[in-house]
Amino acid sequence: MYPKITIKNHHERRLLKGHLWAFSNELLEVPKDIPAGTIVTLIREFDKKPFAIAFYHPNSLIACRIISRNVNEVIDAEFFKKRIGESTARRQFLQKERNAVRLVHGESDLLPGLIVEKYNDIITFQITSAGMDARKDEINSALEELFHPRSIIEKNLSYLRKLEGLTEQEGFVKGTESDVEFHDGLGTKYHADILKSQKTGGYLDQMDNRTAIRRYIPEGATVLDLFTNTGGFALNMALAGAAEVTAVDQSEDALASLAKNAELNGVTEKIKTVHTDCFSFIKECKETFDVIVLDPPSLVRSKKELKSAELGYYTLHKEAIKCLRIGGILITASCSHHFTREMYLDCIRRASGESKRVSLVLEERGASADHPVHTMMPETEYLKLFVLSIA
């Protein structure tokens, strides 16, 4: 039914156990005459039996992304409707609590290279693989039939698209409205213009964490929120009882959104915004805070950047610790997959030791529940968050 590609002996074992990626060096040969995004049948070298179908890319390290274990599966609008419906059903419990949810989380939902999020009655999606991009019409048809949204917006601006030879695209697929209000499980309200927002809309991977950290905020606390973006953590800390939150970001647009969100939640007087580079701010800061939040954007996109990222994370923690009172709370997160949990903890340890302070982990968290981790794919686990007491 589809062109056949042979996986070398022994390399099929990992794929048979559930991993979805076959790398170019695992292919018996890399055909150059099959266009990127073509569906192919994967076969085992030793007995020539088919075991999966996948999206193929001749020029990518990830040469094949498995889309189905049924080698006779037809990949059409009905297929996407079924898969997206299944992933949506897995999130029913969340949709009872909040009206902003990631409905599809790529490989974790067996839809490699596809992200779908729902903000009230607006759907936004991002595609990062050539195979998914070639089937955008079928995906949009499924989204329309399943959700009948007011607008569907594509946010295809990820740097990962370049690795697949795809151009960046952003705009309306359906509708003309991108303004929306949404809320989390505790009633924190957010306003967003999805078309103008970063990434896919609202950094939903931190949604559960923003509400969970409320219990660590002392009544009347002074808080520093670095890399605040549109204020997810700042709002929750203000609502939890903080007296003053200093929210810092280098994006004027993000801070303008934060101001709207603060007004929406009735905490305008508690939040002070600072428009500047966060690294410079913390380095020059002379104040002391009860709570500091560090939630920087990814400092490492590939393993080549690990050294510079290590220095960046270490410096950031060292400077933050010096600005925390004894017994203060440090909430710190990394969204860099290549920068492992142990690497991140090591930066915290070194920064604490250099500052002659003791850091105690009170809680460790990952991404929100609508960003599940595929147990056979460690690549799907990326977000690390630690709540620490700094003695």
Side-chain angles (χ1 to χ4, degrees):
M1 185 175 179
Y2 301 117
K4 295 179 180 178
I5 287 183
T6 303
I7 304 297
K8 292 178 184 177
N9 281 336
H10 309 303
H11 291 283
E12 83 284 352
R13 294 173 182 172
R14 175 175 51 83
L15 301 175
L16 290 170
K17 288 177 180 177
H19 203 284
L20 299 180
W21 295 347
F23 299 98
S24 56
N25 64 347
E26 296 175 323
L27 275 53
L28 192 61
E29 58 180 305
V30 181
K32 296 297 182 183
D33 58 342
I34 301 178
T38 300
I39 297 175
V40 297
T41 299
L42 302 184
I43 64 174
R44 303 184 297 200
E45 181 185 2
F46 67 91
D47 63 2
K48 307 303 179 190
K49 285 189 176 179
F51 64 91
I53 59 174
F55 294 140
Y56 174 68
H57 201 302
N59 303 315
S60 174
L61 175 63
I62 304 171
C64 300
R65 299 170 188 266
I66 291 176
I67 187 69
S68 177
R69 305 282 172 178
N70 177 0
V71 296
N72 298 310
E73 187 99 60
V74 176
I75 308 302
D76 56 10
E78 280 303 310
F79 167 84
F80 286 109
K81 182 181 173 183
K82 179 175 178 289
R83 280 281 170 92
I84 295 170
E86 289 169 349
S87 66
T88 299
R90 279 192 283 276
R91 293 152 170 86
Q92 279 186 344
F93 69 101
L94 273 180
Q95 294 176 76
K96 292 176 183 177
E97 300 169 4
R98 49 181 166 99
N99 64 348
V101 178
R102 175 164 289 193
L103 300 177
V104 176
H105 188 50
E107 278 75 357
S108 292
D109 286 303
L110 308 180
L111 288 165
L114 177 64
I115 290 169
V116 178
E117 292 183 346
K118 185 174 184 291
Y119 295 87
N120 201 352
D121 56 357
I122 289 180
I123 294 285
T124 177
F125 70 88
Q126 183 179 92
I127 290 173
T128 57
S129 73
M132 284 294 174
D133 200 65
R135 290 153 188 86
K136 190 161 64 173
D137 290 345
E138 290 93 331
I139 292 167
N140 283 318
S141 175
L143 293 174
E144 172 62 31
E145 195 169 340
L146 283 167
F147 306 111
H148 307 291
R150 174 165 51 112
S151 296
I152 300 176
I153 300 170
E154 64 175 319
K155 299 282 288 182
N156 287 326
L157 302 179
S158 170
Y159 76 97
L160 294 171
R161 287 179 65 83
K162 296 177 183 177
L163 302 179
E164 293 275 314
L166 303 172
T167 58
E168 293 186 343
Q169 296 175 331
E170 183 178 41
F172 291 101
V173 173
K174 174 197 174 181
T176 58
E177 298 176 67
S178 58
D179 269 15
V180 67
E181 283 188 12
F182 56 97
H183 61 81
D184 62 22
L186 292 182
T188 310
K189 300 173 187 174
Y190 299 89
H191 168 270
D193 183 333
I194 300 298
L195 194 60
K196 294 179 181 178
S197 298
Q198 295 180 22
K199 295 198 174 180
T200 45
Y203 291 94
L204 297 182
D205 54 356
Q206 290 279 31
M207 185 71 89
D208 292 349
N209 294 333
R210 291 170 189 150
T211 54
I213 57 92
R214 283 193 184 199
R215 62 178 174 164
Y216 295 103
I217 311 306
E219 188 71 31
T222 57
V223 177
L224 173 62
D225 183 17
L226 290 177
F227 310 96
T228 189
N229 195 252
T230 56
F233 281 107
L235 295 169
N236 275 280
M237 290 184 289
L239 290 167
E244 181 179 271
V245 181
T246 302
V248 186
D249 204 280
Q250 64 178 2
S251 167
E252 285 187 280
D253 289 342
L255 292 177
S257 293
L258 168 53
K260 288 182 183 177
N261 288 332
E263 184 177 359
L264 197 60
N265 288 276
V267 292
T268 300
E269 293 181 359
K270 287 188 172 187
I271 298 178
K272 176 181 74 174
T273 61
V274 179
H275 176 225
T276 191
D277 173 74
C278 291
F279 282 92
S280 299
F281 180 92
I282 194 64
K283 186 176 181 180
E284 297 164 10
C285 183
K286 305 298 181 188
E287 296 180 63
T288 303
F289 299 89
D290 298 307
V291 180
I292 294 180
V293 178
L294 303 176
D295 184 23
S298 179
L299 300 185
V300 49
R301 291 181 173 181
S302 70
K303 290 183 179 179
K304 295 185 220 175
E305 298 173 339
L306 282 173
K307 275 291 179 189
S308 61
E310 182 181 15
L311 178 61
Y313 284 128
Y314 164 73
T315 303
L316 197 56
H317 286 92
K318 183 181 174 184
E319 297 296 337
I321 287 170
K322 81 175 187 189
C323 295
L324 265 176
R325 68 168 179 79
I326 300 297
I329 297 293
L330 177 62
I331 300 162
T332 177
S334 166
C335 60
S336 304
H337 162 69
H338 294 290
F339 208 80
T340 67
R341 172 185 180 276
E342 276 308 311
M343 290 176 183
Y344 203 59
L345 273 175
D346 188 57
C347 285
I348 295 170
R349 293 186 195 105
R350 287 169 49 218
S352 303
E354 186 71 21
S355 305
K356 296 183 170 48
R357 304 280 291 274
V358 176
S359 53
L360 307 170
V361 176
L362 303 180
E363 186 173 358
E364 179 177 352
R365 301 182 61 86
S368 296
D370 48 358
H371 292 61
V373 174
H374 190 311
T375 57
M376 290 306 298
M377 292 196 69
E379 297 89 347
T380 61
E381 186 172 18
Y382 68 99
L383 185 65
K384 302 159 284 288
L385 181 139
F386 294 96
V387 180
L388 304 120
S389 174
I390 306 298

